[in-house]
Amino acid sequence: MLEIADLPQVVRLPLAPPIVRGLVNLRGQVMPVIDLGVQSGPAITYTSLCKLVVAESAGEKLAFLSEGIPDLAEEFCGERVDVMNIIAQFRAGDS
């Protein structure tokens, strides 16, 4: 994880799978917004509490949509996300 950021405007991508909510421009860097919640229920409704959790793996960045940020502490463990697997699934030009 690189940072937690406020949610800027999300630009929708035509024909993108539901897990890819669109693209954001975060301080000049364009990255996809991933909503992992669609795997277990309806998509998140954007509110002022929504944040982006920006992660990087092997030089590629993804922004994960979050409904809020709980009290961050080392004792709090969420679900492990395999960023490289998600990148491989949705990389443009790959079969």
Side-chain angles (χ1 to χ4, degrees):
M1 180 179 96
L2 295 175
E3 67 177 295
I4 297 170
D6 289 330
L7 180 64
Q9 180 180 357
V10 177
V11 177
R12 304 282 294 162
L13 291 173
L15 305 176
I19 194 171
V20 180
R21 293 297 294 266
L23 297 174
V24 293
N25 182 339
L26 193 61
R27 292 182 303 283
Q29 291 189 330
V30 177
M31 61 190 77
V33 176
I34 307 299
D35 182 358
L36 295 174
V38 299
Q39 294 178 344
S40 60
I44 291 175
T45 301
Y46 297 124
T47 69
S48 61
L49 299 176
C50 286
K51 300 288 185 184
L52 291 179
V53 178
V54 180
E56 180 178 20
S57 182
E60 301 211 40
K61 293 182 182 176
L62 292 175
F64 293 92
L65 193 57
S66 173
E67 291 181 276
I69 303 300
D71 295 330
L72 296 177
E74 288 187 28
E75 302 86 45
F76 181 81
C77 293
E79 182 179 338
R80 181 172 168 78
V81 175
D82 184 351
V83 175
M84 289 308 297
N85 185 36
I86 292 172
I87 290 171
Q89 288 179 34
F90 301 109
R91 179 176 283 136
D94 285 355
S95 302

